[in-house]
Amino acid sequence: MSNPMQTTSPTFVGMPKFPKAAKKALGNTQQRRNLAHATGVIRAKRARVVGEVPEWEALRLAGAQAKDETLGHLAAYLEMLEANLARNGAQVHWARDAEEANRIVVGLVQAKGAGEVVKVKSMATQEIELNEALEAAGIHAWETDLAELIVQLGHDRPSHILVPAIHRNRSEIREIFRREMGLVGRPAPDDLSDEPRRLAEAARLHLREKFLRATVAISGANFAIADTGSLVVVESEGNGRMCLTLPETLISVVGIEKVLPSWQDLGTFLQLLPRSSTGERMNPYTSIWSGVHEGDGPQEVHVVLIDNGRTHVLADPVGRQALRCIRCSACLNTCPVYERAGGHAYGSVYPGPIGSILNPQLRGVASEVDRSLPYASSLCGACFEVCPVRIDIPSLLVHLRAKVVEAADGTTHEARAMRAMAWMFGDHRRLEAAQRAATVGGRVLGDHTIRHVPGPMGPWTGARDVPHLPTQSFRQWWAKRERKGGAR
Amino acid sequence: MTTDVDPAVRQGRSAKDEILSRIRAATPDVTSPVGARGAAPRVEQPASSRAETVELFVENVEDYKAAVVRVAPDGIAQAVADAVRDVGSVVVPGGLDAAYLSAWPGAVRRVSDDGLSSADLDAIDGVVTTASVGIATTGTIVLDHGPGMGRRALSLVPDLHVCIVRTSQVVHDVPEAVARLAPGAVTGGGHVGPQTWISGPSATSDIELDRVEGVHGPRTLHVIVVDDG
């Protein structure tokens, strides 16, 4: 029996397939402009700081090997992590799926009698839609990362792993802050401009009262170190440090693939992640804590380890490498498809190339969007080049396309078209008949370009023009030439 | 998600056991024993000289728009006084060498940390701490929150962080810092203390990926580099 997949979260149920959502996104000129600017800036920054490190390839290999070591022996490393966390005074919980993880976290918050929590940016909690579960239980969840705050206040969805509000520009952010901040706390200053410095200051003032007041914080973790029982959060703004330090209770939701074998592995990953992610030599703040530290920070520390489809990914020896991902988002920033379509079209909290291989493995290929994701790529290979843990995304995309086709069992348009082609090419008379038909079409249409045809070819022509039909085929030309006696 | 199973029944079975058995079932192809890769490889950039390492550290810390001053050991007190002169109040962690405070400006209120609340800290303008390690290639300062560094909140809530780093604490690259900060090396025992790795003042690139210094953490980082050989 295979391991259970992840259930698609309510937010993304019924997402249209990628080409449809992408086409809509392509029509949003403002978003395209914002994305082209932002991804261009970060690509240049990354290239500069990666270029400073001559040993980069050796680092990538070391990163991939460390992750493969844990993924190959995940049970052993998770048990080591649990034992060391417990020794350090943390309470460890295990969750098979999103529903179980949310139930555990909501229960822990309710046990503390807290009506609100402050949150550090976390992909895992987005994936399980923890905020929705908390709100349903009457608990306010305040996102404190600036981009997450912009998304939350804008009643929007994240479109990038690292910069969830990458699709918004400064004047849109100013409008959101002016309109929404006052409804949930300290309002934005009356004279707020769209200068990034002023916008950041508005966030500082708005969130400060929440940091000082909250008794429970929720985080994820970038790394969980098995041999010391330590969690690591890598961030920039200091909102992470506020959440990890000031409240009395800290709950960290951690995917089981986040575990690193040893403390020494940090030496590799703290070089790979910041340079790949924000294009900095090092991110402003990295917090490392190991359970409860007497007299310093939260005195009640919980860690919730979640599966939620990860063991399903693990079971595919080829696809398993997707679990090496450290969520740096370099593959998004370099992807020509992501740059144009944006993150929302991927129908998941994991967009871009990594999302195209992760979602169909975590959730399976039953839904339209997950079936279409392995095709949301030109296979240009740029994502593999920049991946700090050497995930061979292009090969995995091909691997997953095969799975999608297998699952469809010959009922796709492509399969039908290929069968028709085989029948036509199988007999020269059929081929000649088809070619005669095409050249008649060519003579009728002349230079007129066909931009769209109905029927099975419709999706293909949705983004392309039909090639001009020839007025004669090679066979017709050859036959005519032979009849004339030809010039030899 | 199997919705037809009663949550209580599901909880009755151990989630841990189920996840671990899923994992074991998922990797029958892996035959190497745990730890077969050996110790984590140490990939780092080589240093050409101590002087170059310290120069690089200063250059990279300044690149983050932190203020850096270099002093001889007998210049620490004056450098601390100059760094705090323009603020109203400064908190000082336990274990900070009293000699560093000997030139303290009279107009600046000095507060010691005797269990200050978060709200108390929010009303204080600055903090003076030492550090544990400096990293040249990245311009990073690491606090392991031992004596002279205080608990984590101290170097977080006030808006000015004055940090004293000795050149003897500066290593060249990240793996060397990780080795120095390993649990055994820090505490002599198994439990690693909390650590904060600081690279410049708090910053964000969340608005159009434009870097802005100063969000929630200290908006001014003032580093005093002490040449102690």
Side-chain angles (χ1 to χ4, degrees), chain A residues 141-164:
Chain A
W142 308 119
E143 291 292 351
T144 64
D145 169 76
L146 180 51
E148 293 277 15
L149 178 71
I150 295 163
V151 168
Q152 188 176 43
L153 289 176
H155 311 287
D156 200 356
R157 279 189 292 112
S159 69
H160 190 278
I161 290 174
L162 174 71
V163 196

Side-chain angles (χ1 to χ4, degrees), chain B residues 115-130:
Chain B
L116 297 166
S117 70
S118 300
D120 295 338
L121 280 174
D122 192 42
I124 293 172
D125 302 315
V127 61
V128 179
T129 73
T130 58

Side-chain angles (χ1 to χ4, degrees), chain A residues 187-386:
Chain A
D190 286 336
D191 63 343
L192 184 65
S193 72
D194 66 1
E195 209 188 320
R197 182 169 304 280
R198 294 291 316 280
L199 295 169
E201 164 129 48
R204 177 186 171 94
L205 294 171
H206 177 77
L207 287 173
R208 186 58 68 123
E209 62 179 16
K210 292 188 162 70
F211 288 136
L212 296 176
R213 190 176 66 204
T215 57
V216 179
I218 293 173
S219 82
N222 292 94
F223 308 107
I225 303 168
D227 73 345
T228 60
S230 312
L231 297 189
V232 181
V233 162
V234 171
E235 54 132 355
S236 295
E237 296 165 11
N239 64 304
R241 293 177 67 191
M242 290 281 177
C243 294
L244 300 172
T245 311
L246 300 187
E248 295 152 16
T249 300
L250 173 61
I251 304 165
S252 303
V253 180
V254 183
I256 53 173
E257 85 287 16
K258 290 282 159 194
V259 60
L260 294 182
S262 72
W263 174 265
Q264 301 297 338
D265 285 301
L266 272 185
T268 298
F269 287 95
L270 288 181
Q271 292 186 79
L272 287 171
L273 180 55
R275 290 183 198 257
S276 300
S277 183
T278 49
E280 294 167 298
R281 297 187 182 102
M282 191 65 90
N283 52 292
Y285 298 134
T286 297
S287 294
I288 305 173
W289 73 102
S290 308
V292 175
H293 299 287
E294 202 187 326
D296 188 346
Q299 296 299 295
E300 186 175 326
V301 172
H302 297 269
V303 178
V304 184
L305 298 170
I306 61 165
D307 177 351
N308 204 30
R310 285 159 178 77
T311 51
H312 181 78
V313 184
L314 191 68
D316 180 345
V318 181
R320 184 181 299 159
Q321 57 178 307
L323 295 176
R324 289 183 200 151
C325 177
I326 54 173
R327 312 282 189 259
C328 73
S329 64
C331 64
L332 278 63
N333 299 330
T334 201
C335 177
V337 176
Y338 175 87
E339 179 181 333
R340 286 159 182 82
H344 292 147
Y346 292 81
S348 155
V349 298
Y350 303 114
I354 186 64
S356 293
I357 59 168
L358 210 44
N359 300 316
Q361 295 199 85
L362 285 169
R363 306 191 297 208
V365 293
S367 77
E368 266 205 329
V369 63
D370 289 327
R371 256 198 315 275
S372 68
L373 286 179
Y375 296 90
S377 166
S378 64
L379 301 180
C380 76
C383 45
F384 173 59
E385 294 296 316
V386 298

Side-chain angles (χ1 to χ4, degrees), chain A residues 32-43:
Chain A
R32 281 186 71 173
R33 210 174 286 142
N34 297 351
L35 278 168
H37 169 74
T39 53
V41 168
I42 195 132
R43 276 200 301 269

